[in-house]
Amino acid sequence: MSAFVQSATRRPVLMSARIWLALLIFAGFAALPLIAALTDDPFLMLIGTRILAYAIAAMALDLILGYGAMVSFGHAAYLGFGAYAVAILNSYGVTDLLVHILFAVLLSAVFAAITGAISLRTRGVYFIMITLAFGQMAYFFFVSLSAYGGDDGTPLQSRSTLFGRDALESDLVMFYVALALLIALFAVATRIVGSRFGRVLIGTRENPVRMEAIGLSPFRYQLTAFVISGCMTSVAGVILANQAEFVSPAFMSWHRSGELIVMVVLGGIGNLTGAIGGAVVALLLEDWLAMLTEHWRLLFGVFLILMVLYSPHGITGALERLKGARK
Amino acid sequence: MSLLSVRNLCKNYGALEVTRNVSLDVAPGELHAIIGPNGAGKTTLIGQLSGQNAPDSGSVSLEGRDITRRSMAERVRLGLARSFQITSILPRFSVLENVAIAVQARSGSSYRFFAPVAQEAALNDAAMAALADAGLEDRAGLRASALSHGEHRRLELAIALATQPKVLLLDEPLAGTGGEEAEAFVQRLRALKGRYATVLIEHDMEAVFALADRISVLVYGEIIASGSPEVIRNDPKVRAAYLGDEEAA
Ligand SMILES: Nc1ncnc2c1ncn2[C@@H]1O[C@H](COP(=O)(O)OP(=O)(O)O)[C@@H](O)[C@H]1O
Ligand SMILES: [Mg+2]
């Protein structure tokens, strides 16, 4: 019995270390407006909002990639659904943020359920390729949507409204709304990972045959996770549209899907805090390297390779190792 | 009435007849052992009973219900659990979690997204009971990959027990264990005898004759003899085809 008690305490310690790190990141974000005010840099809020949106998307992707071993290479489609949900509803005079999110989630749930059900009939590289194909289908659908600017996209008349007010027109308010969404979704994702459902999802990643041998058919659970992940990602799209005040198919290009995977891998797969950290580091590094040289993609690639070679569990893995070494 | 009933099962892998017209019955509480040389088709037979492989023809029924076309997961939910000859566990889960997830599969929905599953006392208690049956209660907190080979064999058993089966299909539970460990395992199986109808595949003849109520001998996919341990021990066909080699060796 003693061993059991030991484990019951051992795991949560690691869990809470990750949650502490997440809280630290959230606190850092919360303080960002202060830095913006001190440095008098108006763009900092916009950059921050963009990072928050990608943090949500990376976390959502990690839910299936890291915890469910489903490498979706088409997740940018959901960024697009979120963004176009804002543009489409706005053009009909429906401006409420919550309605925008609801519509984005609905679109994404339908798309994820259909494409997920088909994609999950395959495994491994085939799953990657087929999700990529579906992502491209969504991309070209919006490219051909001339009412919303087709290839070029379309500017938003205005940002989403919050309870009838145009509060989001302030970059500061928009930033904090995005932060609140990230924190709420982090809490939801953390609960899911530790729930009955999460255990089945992770168990399927570990050994699908074993899951069937205890009477659970993995498909339904994997598909449900796929849908949840798509819906969460679309929230990031809603934020991105508002941040840029512009939507275009560029949100859903396969490069974007690749970037999301990079963020998850960089942070350490199967680690929600890591995905958030991965998004922060990837975007900051991109911006910084882009300032240094126009060949920044090459440098970024080198960094990624080093990361994968020397810290297969990503940034958070490296941190956890450092902490372990100090003890 | 028999709990598990197999009728005229046939399966070919290309030209290889791996299962030839196999019929057998297992009564409630009965332990039915299947012995036979390596490559006789024992694991493939278990695969067809558990739903992992499809037979070419023939039928499998559980409690009179035809389950030939049911998936492995459905069969487990109906009460037919198996252990694997080659250990198949969740290596990064704790020992307790490996068993608790099997309990979870049989008790309530797994579509629960918010309550922390690690704190579900009912799951953990039932899992501890199954671990105790397999003699692993003091290993509950370890990572499953950290167990020894013999302990892995027992974890296989505990997971199968946790699904609350009516019929247990055990594929060489003693494989790779020996000496005292094997003896202790046989004692555990003896303690469980009568609680479950069991199909036991085992190479260890001592274990088989100590545990079985009935033995079937499988050679080249075919049951060449079936009967009580006494009958099998004295069957000349069996001695020639199988036991003869064992005793000579
Ligand atoms: N998937 C398969 N495809 C082709 N042949 C197989 C397959 N699985 C098993 N076999 C063959 O079937 C025979 C029986 O194997 P198996 O059931 O594992 O025997 P046992 O468990 O009695 O040792 C062996 O000759 C094996 O090589
Ligand atoms: Mg075998």
Side-chain angles (χ1 to χ4, degrees):
Chain A
M1 211 56 201
S2 68
F4 165 52
V5 175
Q6 209 182 0
S7 97
T9 52
R10 183 178 51 101
R11 241 157 212 278
V13 166
L14 185 65
M15 267 314 261
S16 69
R18 287 182 181 179
I19 287 174
W20 276 112
L21 183 60
L23 291 180
L24 208 68
I25 296 174
F26 297 151
F29 272 119
L32 195 64
L34 205 68
I35 301 168
L38 290 177
T39 57
D40 201 21
D41 183 350
F43 289 115
L44 214 48
M45 290 295 82
L46 284 176
I47 296 171
T49 304
R50 181 161 166 270
I51 293 177
L52 287 169
Y54 278 105
I56 290 174
M59 189 178 71
L61 178 60
D62 193 26
L63 204 54
I64 56 167
L65 194 158
Y67 293 89
M70 292 174 262
V71 182
S72 166
F73 200 170
H75 246 49
Y78 302 100
L79 291 179
F81 293 140
Y84 276 95
V86 177
I88 293 170
L89 287 184
N90 264 355
S91 75
Y92 287 100
V94 180
T95 58
D96 190 78
L97 177 69
L98 294 181
V99 180
H100 288 170
I101 290 178
L102 212 66
F103 186 50
V105 165
L106 216 68
L107 280 178
S108 301
V110 172
F111 187 78
I114 294 170
T115 65
I118 298 168
S119 306
L120 279 169
R121 310 219 165 270
T122 67
R123 290 279 167 274
V125 176
Y126 299 103
F127 183 85
I128 298 178
M129 298 313 281
I130 198 166
T131 49
L132 170 64
F134 280 125
Q136 287 303 94
M137 261 174 57
Y139 172 80
F140 284 113
F141 173 78
F142 284 101
V143 164
S144 67
L145 204 62
S146 49
Y148 293 92
D151 214 353
D152 299 327
T154 179
L156 293 185
Q157 302 274 310
S158 65
R159 285 182 178 160
S160 307
T161 55
L162 204 55
F163 308 115
R165 299 166 181 225
D166 59 357
L168 258 48
E169 294 300 332
S170 148
D171 289 346
L172 182 71
V173 174
M174 182 182 61
F175 173 83
Y176 275 120
V177 167
L179 181 57
L181 284 170
L182 172 63
I183 293 172
L185 289 175
F186 175 76
V188 169
T190 302
R191 292 301 286 252
I192 290 178
V193 166
S195 72
R196 278 186 170 218
F197 178 83
R199 183 181 264 177
V200 174
L201 183 65
I202 301 168
T204 301
R205 171 189 80 189
E206 296 282 295
N207 186 347
V209 174
R210 170 42 80 193
M211 300 311 283
E212 294 189 41
I214 60 171
L216 295 167
S217 319
F219 176 80
R220 310 156 44 185
Y221 301 99
Q222 290 181 306
L223 183 58
T224 305
F226 193 81
V227 170
I228 292 173
S229 171
C231 292
M232 270 195 189
T233 308
S234 74
V235 176
V238 170
I239 298 171
L240 281 177
N242 276 295
Q243 183 261 6
E245 297 180 67
F246 186 82
V247 303
S248 87
F251 281 125
M252 14 189 9
S253 80
W254 64 270
H255 304 94
R256 232 18 100 87
S257 297
E259 273 171 18
L260 291 179
I261 295 177
V262 165
M263 290 171 188
V264 172
V265 172
L266 200 57
I269 64 170
N271 180 339
L272 298 170
T273 307
I276 296 173
V280 174
V281 171
L283 291 173
L284 290 181
L285 206 63
E286 255 180 49
D287 284 350
W288 182 61
L289 292 175
M291 277 194 305
L292 292 183
T293 160
E294 58 180 304
H295 303 300
W296 64 272
R297 279 175 204 280
L298 188 67
L299 287 182
F300 193 74
V302 170
F303 173 76
L304 256 183
I305 291 168
L306 289 178
M307 196 72 201
V308 171
L309 282 180
Y310 290 103
S311 184
H313 297 289
I315 301 167
T316 35
L319 283 179
E320 273 161 19
R321 251 202 340 249
L322 274 180
K323 212 165 137 260
R326 245 190 315 145
K327 272 192 197 143
Chain B
M1 195 200 84
S2 68
L3 199 51
L4 181 72
S5 156
V6 180
R7 287 289 166 270
N8 309 107
L9 219 55
C10 296
K11 184 173 182 67
N12 292 2
Y13 280 130
L16 177 71
E17 290 182 77
V18 68
T19 307
R20 292 195 214 189
N21 206 30
V22 167
S23 298
L24 58 86
D25 286 279
V26 188
E30 186 184 33
L31 193 146
H32 191 139
I34 296 173
I35 62 173
N38 262 328
K42 302 181 298 295
T43 295
T44 311
L45 177 60
I46 288 276
Q48 291 167 79
L49 303 187
S50 68
Q52 198 172 21
N53 318 115
D56 296 338
S57 63
S59 69
V60 181
S61 5
L62 184 68
E63 298 183 298
R65 183 203 308 239
D66 187 340
I67 57 167
T68 317
R69 309 257 160 264
R70 302 297 187 99
S71 72
M72 173 149 72
E74 281 176 301
R75 291 179 201 209
V76 177
R77 292 198 289 270
L78 291 172
L80 186 66
R82 75 170 287 182
S83 76
F84 291 88
Q85 179 176 359
I86 297 165
T87 300
S88 177
I89 53 168
L90 307 173
R92 292 201 277 182
F93 279 38
S94 75
V95 171
L96 182 76
E97 286 167 333
N98 263 277
V99 183
I101 193 171
V103 179
Q104 172 184 328
R106 284 304 299 274
S107 53
S109 170
S110 285
Y111 278 105
R112 290 192 202 156
F113 297 90
F114 292 103
V117 64
Q119 287 160 31
E120 279 193 49
L123 295 187
N124 292 341
D125 291 348
M128 283 308 286
L131 283 175
D133 281 336
L136 281 173
E137 63 271 41
D138 58 344
R139 290 287 185 267
L142 292 181
R143 206 178 227 246
S145 59
L147 295 186
S148 71
H149 173 76
E151 289 169 334
H152 275 149
R153 304 309 300 151
R154 285 188 268 152
L155 180 55
E156 278 277 337
L157 176 67
I159 294 171
L161 294 178
T163 65
Q164 301 169 23
K166 298 182 180 114
V167 179
L168 261 178
L169 309 172
L170 303 178
D171 193 358
E172 299 202 30
L174 299 179
T177 67
E180 279 179 32
E181 193 165 38
E183 260 171 56
F185 204 123
V186 171
Q187 288 312 317
R188 300 205 176 279
L189 291 178
R190 195 198 296 280
L192 292 172
K193 230 185 95 138
R195 273 163 62 183
Y196 309 94
T198 306
V199 176
L200 171 70
I201 291 178
E202 192 41 68
H203 265 303
D204 184 329
M205 285 306 127
E206 234 177 288
V208 166
F209 281 95
L211 290 167
D213 299 307
R214 192 180 180 83
I215 299 175
S216 292
V217 184
L218 196 72
V219 179
Y220 293 121
E222 192 173 20
I223 294 187
I224 61 162
S226 184
S228 69
E230 220 33 57
V231 169
I232 293 299
R233 207 191 293 274
N234 299 315
D235 189 308
K237 258 197 306 183
V238 176
R239 298 187 75 91
Y242 187 63
L243 288 177
D245 321 3
E246 284 274 313
E247 275 168 17

